[in-house]
mmCIF file of all heavy atoms in Angstrom:
data_model
loop_
_atom_site.group_PDB
_atom_site.id
_atom_site.type_symbol
_atom_site.label_atom_id
_atom_site.label_comp_id
_atom_site.label_asym_id
_atom_site.label_seq_id
_atom_site.Cartn_x
_atom_site.Cartn_y
_atom_site.Cartn_z
ATOM 1 N N PRO A 790 -5.236 -29.594 7.327
ATOM 2 C CA PRO A 790 -4.653 -28.203 7.515
ATOM 3 C C PRO A 790 -3.667 -28.275 8.673
ATOM 4 O O PRO A 790 -3.581 -29.143 9.432
ATOM 5 C CB PRO A 790 -5.903 -27.415 7.958
ATOM 6 C CG PRO A 790 -6.804 -28.489 8.737
ATOM 7 C CD PRO A 790 -6.571 -29.764 8.051
ATOM 8 N N PHE A 791 -2.924 -27.236 8.681
ATOM 9 C CA PHE A 791 -2.151 -26.881 9.901
ATOM 10 C C PHE A 791 -3.055 -26.010 10.802
ATOM 11 O O PHE A 791 -3.701 -25.158 10.234
ATOM 12 C CB PHE A 791 -0.820 -26.092 9.470
ATOM 13 C CG PHE A 791 0.262 -26.923 8.958
ATOM 14 C CD1 PHE A 791 0.923 -26.571 7.831
ATOM 15 C CD2 PHE A 791 0.706 -28.137 9.573
ATOM 16 C CE1 PHE A 791 1.894 -27.271 7.253
ATOM 17 C CE2 PHE A 791 1.723 -28.869 9.004
ATOM 18 C CZ PHE A 791 2.390 -28.504 7.925
ATOM 19 N N THR A 792 -2.823 -26.226 12.035
ATOM 20 C CA THR A 792 -3.685 -25.463 12.948
ATOM 21 C C THR A 792 -2.902 -24.122 13.225
ATOM 22 O O THR A 792 -1.814 -24.064 12.881
ATOM 23 C CB THR A 792 -3.780 -26.223 14.421
ATOM 24 O OG1 THR A 792 -2.518 -26.304 14.952
ATOM 25 C CG2 THR A 792 -4.494 -27.579 14.183
ATOM 26 N N THR A 793 -3.602 -23.213 13.913
ATOM 27 C CA THR A 793 -3.014 -21.856 14.244
ATOM 28 C C THR A 793 -1.711 -22.227 15.118
ATOM 29 O O THR A 793 -0.712 -21.454 14.913
ATOM 30 C CB THR A 793 -4.028 -20.993 14.959
ATOM 31 O OG1 THR A 793 -5.069 -20.775 13.983
ATOM 32 C CG2 THR A 793 -3.392 -19.715 15.322
ATOM 33 N N GLU A 794 -1.817 -23.002 16.153
ATOM 34 C CA GLU A 794 -0.822 -23.358 16.974
ATOM 35 C C GLU A 794 0.289 -23.906 16.243
ATOM 36 O O GLU A 794 1.587 -23.518 16.607
ATOM 37 C CB GLU A 794 -1.225 -24.279 18.134
ATOM 38 C CG GLU A 794 -2.364 -23.705 19.032
ATOM 39 C CD GLU A 794 -3.722 -23.536 18.477
ATOM 40 O OE1 GLU A 794 -4.041 -24.387 17.596
ATOM 41 O OE2 GLU A 794 -4.505 -22.745 18.941
ATOM 42 N N GLU A 795 0.127 -24.786 15.291
ATOM 43 C CA GLU A 795 1.206 -25.374 14.564
ATOM 44 C C GLU A 795 1.820 -24.334 13.642
ATOM 45 O O GLU A 795 3.142 -24.322 13.561
ATOM 46 C CB GLU A 795 0.651 -26.533 13.704
ATOM 47 C CG GLU A 795 0.258 -27.699 14.494
ATOM 48 C CD GLU A 795 -0.490 -28.797 13.658
ATOM 49 O OE1 GLU A 795 -1.211 -28.510 12.681
ATOM 50 O OE2 GLU A 795 -0.556 -30.024 14.146
ATOM 51 N N ILE A 796 1.067 -23.463 13.117
ATOM 52 C CA ILE A 796 1.654 -22.308 12.279
ATOM 53 C C ILE A 796 2.617 -21.532 13.126
ATOM 54 O O ILE A 796 3.664 -21.170 12.717
ATOM 55 C CB ILE A 796 0.522 -21.570 11.679
ATOM 56 C CG1 ILE A 796 -0.265 -22.315 10.592
ATOM 57 C CG2 ILE A 796 1.098 -20.169 11.061
ATOM 58 C CD1 ILE A 796 -1.514 -21.683 10.041
ATOM 59 N N ASP A 797 2.149 -21.134 14.315
ATOM 60 C CA ASP A 797 2.936 -20.358 15.161
ATOM 61 C C ASP A 797 4.092 -20.984 15.611
ATOM 62 O O ASP A 797 5.260 -20.393 15.737
ATOM 63 C CB ASP A 797 2.152 -19.894 16.468
ATOM 64 C CG ASP A 797 0.956 -18.939 16.111
ATOM 65 O OD1 ASP A 797 1.105 -18.271 15.047
ATOM 66 O OD2 ASP A 797 0.076 -18.810 16.960
ATOM 67 N N SER A 798 4.105 -22.301 15.910
ATOM 68 C CA SER A 798 5.267 -23.021 16.335
ATOM 69 C C SER A 798 6.298 -23.070 15.107
ATOM 70 O O SER A 798 7.481 -22.922 15.356
ATOM 71 C CB SER A 798 4.800 -24.448 16.709
ATOM 72 O OG SER A 798 6.006 -25.289 16.836
ATOM 73 N N ALA A 799 5.751 -23.396 13.945
ATOM 74 C CA ALA A 799 6.602 -23.377 12.793
ATOM 75 C C ALA A 799 7.335 -22.098 12.448
ATOM 76 O O ALA A 799 8.452 -22.055 12.055
ATOM 77 C CB ALA A 799 5.983 -23.996 11.579
ATOM 78 N N LEU A 800 6.484 -21.051 12.646
ATOM 79 C CA LEU A 800 7.069 -19.682 12.320
ATOM 80 C C LEU A 800 8.242 -19.272 13.279
ATOM 81 O O LEU A 800 9.071 -18.456 12.975
ATOM 82 C CB LEU A 800 5.984 -18.639 12.353
ATOM 83 C CG LEU A 800 5.025 -18.817 11.145
ATOM 84 C CD1 LEU A 800 3.870 -17.705 11.294
ATOM 85 C CD2 LEU A 800 5.839 -18.520 9.814
ATOM 86 N N ALA A 801 8.192 -19.793 14.389
ATOM 87 C CA ALA A 801 9.203 -19.552 15.396
ATOM 88 C C ALA A 801 10.646 -19.945 15.009
ATOM 89 O O ALA A 801 11.592 -19.376 15.418
ATOM 90 C CB ALA A 801 8.932 -20.246 16.725
ATOM 91 N N HIS A 802 10.671 -20.814 13.937
ATOM 92 C CA HIS A 802 11.987 -21.261 13.489
ATOM 93 C C HIS A 802 12.404 -20.605 12.173
ATOM 94 O O HIS A 802 13.454 -20.909 11.598
ATOM 95 C CB HIS A 802 11.828 -22.731 13.247
ATOM 96 C CG HIS A 802 11.674 -23.523 14.531
ATOM 97 N ND1 HIS A 802 12.579 -23.825 15.360
ATOM 98 C CD2 HIS A 802 10.519 -24.066 14.913
ATOM 99 C CE1 HIS A 802 12.119 -24.494 16.421
ATOM 100 N NE2 HIS A 802 10.865 -24.612 16.126
ATOM 101 N N HIS A 803 11.472 -19.730 11.614
ATOM 102 C CA HIS A 803 11.868 -19.083 10.323
ATOM 103 C C HIS A 803 12.380 -17.703 10.501
ATOM 104 O O HIS A 803 11.709 -16.933 11.197
ATOM 105 C CB HIS A 803 10.522 -19.130 9.411
ATOM 106 C CG HIS A 803 10.297 -20.375 8.791
ATOM 107 N ND1 HIS A 803 10.869 -20.821 7.615
ATOM 108 C CD2 HIS A 803 9.483 -21.408 9.211
ATOM 109 C CE1 HIS A 803 10.263 -22.042 7.311
ATOM 110 N NE2 HIS A 803 9.536 -22.405 8.310
ATOM 111 N N PRO A 804 13.486 -17.432 9.826
ATOM 112 C CA PRO A 804 14.067 -16.064 9.944
ATOM 113 C C PRO A 804 13.181 -15.094 9.085
ATOM 114 O O PRO A 804 12.455 -15.611 8.248
ATOM 115 C CB PRO A 804 15.374 -16.140 9.395
ATOM 116 C CG PRO A 804 15.258 -17.379 8.469
ATOM 117 C CD PRO A 804 14.444 -18.325 9.040
ATOM 118 N N ARG A 805 13.243 -13.836 9.256
ATOM 119 C CA ARG A 805 12.615 -12.955 8.361
ATOM 120 C C ARG A 805 13.181 -13.039 6.953
ATOM 121 O O ARG A 805 14.360 -13.332 6.853
ATOM 122 C CB ARG A 805 12.802 -11.510 8.856
ATOM 123 C CG ARG A 805 12.130 -11.143 10.054
ATOM 124 C CD ARG A 805 12.439 -9.761 10.628
ATOM 125 N NE ARG A 805 11.709 -9.457 11.739
ATOM 126 C CZ ARG A 805 12.196 -9.673 12.947
ATOM 127 N NH1 ARG A 805 13.467 -10.059 13.095
ATOM 128 N NH2 ARG A 805 11.516 -9.314 14.043
ATOM 129 N N ILE A 806 12.304 -12.757 5.968
ATOM 130 C CA ILE A 806 12.866 -12.755 4.621
ATOM 131 C C ILE A 806 13.955 -11.604 4.470
ATOM 132 O O ILE A 806 13.723 -10.509 4.998
ATOM 133 C CB ILE A 806 11.726 -12.484 3.685
ATOM 134 C CG1 ILE A 806 10.766 -13.706 3.608
ATOM 135 C CG2 ILE A 806 12.210 -12.155 2.159
ATOM 136 C CD1 ILE A 806 11.246 -14.986 3.067
ATOM 137 N N GLY A 807 15.068 -12.008 3.989
ATOM 138 C CA GLY A 807 16.162 -11.070 3.779
ATOM 139 C C GLY A 807 17.158 -11.259 4.893
ATOM 140 O O GLY A 807 18.263 -10.654 4.709
ATOM 141 N N GLU A 808 16.814 -11.948 5.982
ATOM 142 C CA GLU A 808 17.812 -12.180 7.067
ATOM 143 C C GLU A 808 18.286 -13.553 6.898
ATOM 144 O O GLU A 808 17.562 -14.499 6.728
ATOM 145 C CB GLU A 808 17.122 -12.045 8.382
ATOM 146 C CG GLU A 808 16.785 -10.701 8.692
ATOM 147 C CD GLU A 808 16.081 -10.398 10.089
ATOM 148 O OE1 GLU A 808 16.039 -11.455 10.909
ATOM 149 O OE2 GLU A 808 15.656 -9.251 10.373
ATOM 150 N N ARG A 809 19.556 -13.709 6.961
ATOM 151 C CA ARG A 809 20.190 -15.104 6.817
ATOM 152 C C ARG A 809 20.179 -15.862 8.097
ATOM 153 O O ARG A 809 20.434 -15.238 9.138
ATOM 154 C CB ARG A 809 21.650 -14.978 6.427
ATOM 155 C CG ARG A 809 21.769 -14.293 5.042
ATOM 156 C CD ARG A 809 21.262 -15.230 4.040
ATOM 157 N NE ARG A 809 21.631 -14.645 2.692
ATOM 158 C CZ ARG A 809 20.746 -14.650 1.689
ATOM 159 N NH1 ARG A 809 19.562 -15.246 1.809
ATOM 160 N NH2 ARG A 809 21.096 -14.163 0.499
ATOM 161 N N ALA A 810 19.677 -17.117 8.124
ATOM 162 C CA ALA A 810 19.592 -17.849 9.322
ATOM 163 C C ALA A 810 20.999 -18.227 9.722
ATOM 164 O O ALA A 810 21.852 -18.473 8.942
ATOM 165 C CB ALA A 810 18.759 -19.207 8.932
ATOM 166 N N GLY A 811 21.145 -18.157 11.051
ATOM 167 C CA GLY A 811 22.532 -18.495 11.634
ATOM 168 C C GLY A 811 22.627 -19.863 11.966
ATOM 169 O O GLY A 811 21.690 -20.666 11.953
ATOM 170 N N GLY A 812 23.883 -20.298 12.251
ATOM 171 C CA GLY A 812 24.082 -21.598 12.646
ATOM 172 C C GLY A 812 24.385 -22.608 11.508
ATOM 173 O O GLY A 812 24.299 -22.303 10.289
ATOM 174 N N ASP A 813 24.665 -23.856 11.959
ATOM 175 C CA ASP A 813 24.904 -24.895 10.900
ATOM 176 C C ASP A 813 23.880 -26.080 10.957
ATOM 177 O O ASP A 813 24.184 -27.048 10.427
ATOM 178 C CB ASP A 813 26.360 -25.352 11.101
ATOM 179 C CG ASP A 813 26.562 -25.976 12.558
ATOM 180 O OD1 ASP A 813 25.722 -25.881 13.324
ATOM 181 O OD2 ASP A 813 27.621 -26.471 12.756
ATOM 182 N N SER A 814 22.719 -25.781 11.508
ATOM 183 C CA SER A 814 21.697 -26.874 11.514
ATOM 184 C C SER A 814 21.188 -27.093 10.104
ATOM 185 O O SER A 814 21.315 -26.291 9.230
ATOM 186 C CB SER A 814 20.547 -26.357 12.380
ATOM 187 O OG SER A 814 19.854 -25.319 11.786
ATOM 188 N N ARG A 815 20.637 -28.194 9.857
ATOM 189 C CA ARG A 815 19.960 -28.554 8.589
ATOM 190 C C ARG A 815 18.960 -27.388 8.199
ATOM 191 O O ARG A 815 18.896 -26.996 7.081
ATOM 192 C CB ARG A 815 19.453 -29.936 8.715
ATOM 193 C CG ARG A 815 18.614 -30.311 7.374
ATOM 194 C CD ARG A 815 19.510 -30.854 6.401
ATOM 195 N NE ARG A 815 18.768 -31.382 5.218
ATOM 196 C CZ ARG A 815 18.958 -31.073 3.977
ATOM 197 N NH1 ARG A 815 19.874 -30.258 3.657
ATOM 198 N NH2 ARG A 815 18.113 -31.503 3.107
ATOM 199 N N GLU A 816 18.147 -27.084 9.206
ATOM 200 C CA GLU A 816 17.082 -26.056 8.892
ATOM 201 C C GLU A 816 17.631 -24.658 8.528
ATOM 202 O O GLU A 816 17.259 -24.050 7.578
ATOM 203 C CB GLU A 816 16.250 -25.840 10.177
ATOM 204 C CG GLU A 816 14.964 -25.082 9.888
ATOM 205 C CD GLU A 816 13.961 -25.065 11.037
ATOM 206 O OE1 GLU A 816 14.451 -25.185 12.279
ATOM 207 O OE2 GLU A 816 12.900 -24.843 10.836
ATOM 208 N N ALA A 817 18.736 -24.251 9.176
ATOM 209 C CA ALA A 817 19.347 -22.970 8.841
ATOM 210 C C ALA A 817 19.989 -23.126 7.389
ATOM 211 O O ALA A 817 19.926 -22.102 6.633
ATOM 212 C CB ALA A 817 20.406 -22.640 9.791
ATOM 213 N N THR A 818 20.607 -24.166 7.098
ATOM 214 C CA THR A 818 21.229 -24.369 5.799
ATOM 215 C C THR A 818 20.172 -24.316 4.734
ATOM 216 O O THR A 818 20.298 -23.664 3.679
ATOM 217 C CB THR A 818 22.025 -25.705 5.614
ATOM 218 O OG1 THR A 818 23.009 -25.707 6.718
ATOM 219 C CG2 THR A 818 22.614 -25.953 4.361
ATOM 220 N N LEU A 819 19.003 -25.015 4.907
ATOM 221 C CA LEU A 819 17.922 -24.919 3.994
ATOM 222 C C LEU A 819 17.447 -23.552 3.873
ATOM 223 O O LEU A 819 17.076 -23.171 2.671
ATOM 224 C CB LEU A 819 16.781 -25.926 4.486
ATOM 225 C CG LEU A 819 17.137 -27.427 4.340
ATOM 226 C CD1 LEU A 819 16.026 -28.243 5.147
ATOM 227 C CD2 LEU A 819 17.121 -27.838 2.932
ATOM 228 N N SER A 820 17.234 -22.852 4.849
ATOM 229 C CA SER A 820 16.760 -21.462 4.781
ATOM 230 C C SER A 820 17.542 -20.632 4.009
ATOM 231 O O SER A 820 17.152 -19.746 3.164
ATOM 232 C CB SER A 820 16.488 -20.965 6.267
ATOM 233 O OG SER A 820 16.043 -19.523 6.231
ATOM 234 N N ARG A 821 18.862 -20.643 4.267
ATOM 235 C CA ARG A 821 19.710 -19.863 3.511
ATOM 236 C C ARG A 821 19.745 -20.193 1.997
ATOM 237 O O ARG A 821 19.699 -19.302 1.205
ATOM 238 C CB ARG A 821 21.249 -20.033 4.021
ATOM 239 C CG ARG A 821 21.491 -19.314 5.452
ATOM 240 C CD ARG A 821 23.001 -19.285 5.718
ATOM 241 N NE ARG A 821 23.581 -20.664 5.915
ATOM 242 C CZ ARG A 821 23.583 -21.267 7.047
ATOM 243 N NH1 ARG A 821 23.061 -20.754 8.139
ATOM 244 N NH2 ARG A 821 24.102 -22.502 7.109
ATOM 245 N N SER A 822 19.688 -21.448 1.647
ATOM 246 C CA SER A 822 19.616 -21.888 0.261
ATOM 247 C C SER A 822 18.203 -21.388 -0.394
ATOM 248 O O SER A 822 18.283 -20.845 -1.523
ATOM 249 C CB SER A 822 19.624 -23.360 0.245
ATOM 250 O OG SER A 822 19.371 -23.834 -1.036
ATOM 251 N N GLU A 823 17.236 -21.471 0.420
ATOM 252 C CA GLU A 823 15.872 -21.126 -0.195
ATOM 253 C C GLU A 823 15.846 -19.560 -0.385
ATOM 254 O O GLU A 823 15.079 -19.124 -1.330
ATOM 255 C CB GLU A 823 14.783 -21.405 0.890
ATOM 256 C CG GLU A 823 14.583 -22.910 0.930
ATOM 257 C CD GLU A 823 13.884 -23.399 2.123
ATOM 258 O OE1 GLU A 823 13.567 -22.577 3.003
ATOM 259 O OE2 GLU A 823 13.693 -24.676 2.299
ATOM 260 N N GLN A 824 16.614 -18.719 0.380
ATOM 261 C CA GLN A 824 16.543 -17.341 0.156
ATOM 262 C C GLN A 824 17.716 -16.834 -0.729
ATOM 263 O O GLN A 824 17.956 -15.616 -0.769
ATOM 264 C CB GLN A 824 16.648 -16.587 1.550
ATOM 265 C CG GLN A 824 15.395 -16.708 2.362
ATOM 266 C CD GLN A 824 15.371 -15.642 3.508
ATOM 267 O OE1 GLN A 824 15.748 -14.454 3.290
ATOM 268 N NE2 GLN A 824 14.897 -16.049 4.643
ATOM 269 N N ALA A 825 18.225 -17.754 -1.525
ATOM 270 C CA ALA A 825 19.340 -17.398 -2.367
ATOM 271 C C ALA A 825 19.000 -16.265 -3.364
ATOM 272 O O ALA A 825 19.963 -15.510 -3.849
ATOM 273 C CB ALA A 825 19.820 -18.578 -3.083
ATOM 274 N N GLY A 826 17.799 -16.080 -3.675
ATOM 275 C CA GLY A 826 17.294 -15.161 -4.645
ATOM 276 C C GLY A 826 17.291 -13.702 -4.107
ATOM 277 O O GLY A 826 17.113 -12.720 -4.828
ATOM 278 N N VAL A 827 17.449 -13.510 -2.811
ATOM 279 C CA VAL A 827 17.533 -12.189 -2.171
ATOM 280 C C VAL A 827 19.072 -11.907 -1.920
ATOM 281 O O VAL A 827 19.665 -12.430 -0.962
ATOM 282 C CB VAL A 827 16.725 -12.302 -0.854
ATOM 283 C CG1 VAL A 827 16.768 -10.909 -0.145
ATOM 284 C CG2 VAL A 827 15.398 -12.734 -1.051
ATOM 285 N N ASP A 828 19.479 -10.964 -2.653
ATOM 286 C CA ASP A 828 20.888 -10.539 -2.568
ATOM 287 C C ASP A 828 21.161 -9.675 -1.400
ATOM 288 O O ASP A 828 20.639 -8.485 -1.271
ATOM 289 C CB ASP A 828 21.229 -9.734 -3.854
ATOM 290 C CG ASP A 828 22.730 -9.336 -3.870
ATOM 291 O OD1 ASP A 828 23.379 -9.572 -2.942
ATOM 292 O OD2 ASP A 828 23.057 -8.710 -4.929
ATOM 293 N N PRO A 829 21.853 -10.206 -0.446
ATOM 294 C CA PRO A 829 22.088 -9.497 0.833
ATOM 295 C C PRO A 829 22.927 -8.153 0.606
ATOM 296 O O PRO A 829 22.903 -7.225 1.442
ATOM 297 C CB PRO A 829 22.993 -10.418 1.711
ATOM 298 C CG PRO A 829 23.486 -11.423 0.806
ATOM 299 C CD PRO A 829 22.603 -11.501 -0.466
ATOM 300 N N SER A 830 23.553 -7.957 -0.538
ATOM 301 C CA SER A 830 24.360 -6.815 -0.749
ATOM 302 C C SER A 830 23.528 -5.794 -1.464
ATOM 303 O O SER A 830 23.976 -4.550 -1.547
ATOM 304 C CB SER A 830 25.596 -7.159 -1.633
ATOM 305 O OG SER A 830 25.185 -7.543 -2.849
ATOM 306 N N ASP A 831 22.278 -5.996 -1.784
ATOM 307 C CA ASP A 831 21.408 -4.964 -2.553
ATOM 308 C C ASP A 831 20.738 -4.132 -1.332
ATOM 309 O O ASP A 831 19.711 -4.611 -0.736
ATOM 310 C CB ASP A 831 20.352 -5.695 -3.405
ATOM 311 C CG ASP A 831 19.573 -4.757 -4.207
ATOM 312 O OD1 ASP A 831 19.316 -3.612 -3.684
ATOM 313 O OD2 ASP A 831 19.109 -5.214 -5.310
ATOM 314 N N ALA A 832 21.324 -2.989 -1.032
ATOM 315 C CA ALA A 832 20.795 -2.204 0.040
ATOM 316 C C ALA A 832 19.394 -1.734 -0.088
ATOM 317 O O ALA A 832 18.590 -1.679 0.795
ATOM 318 C CB ALA A 832 21.694 -0.974 0.225
#
Side-chain angles (χ1 to χ4, degrees):
F791 283 131
T792 67
T793 299
E794 294 78 21
E795 290 170 337
I796 291 169
D797 290 341
S798 173
L800 287 177
H802 299 281
H803 282 272
R805 289 177 180 94
I806 292 293
E808 293 181 2
R809 297 291 187 222
D813 59 356
S814 70
R815 173 84 173 128
E816 188 171 31
T818 301
L819 289 166
S820 179
R821 285 190 298 271
S822 173
E823 292 160 358
Q824 288 199 42
V827 180
D828 182 357
S830 68
D831 186 330

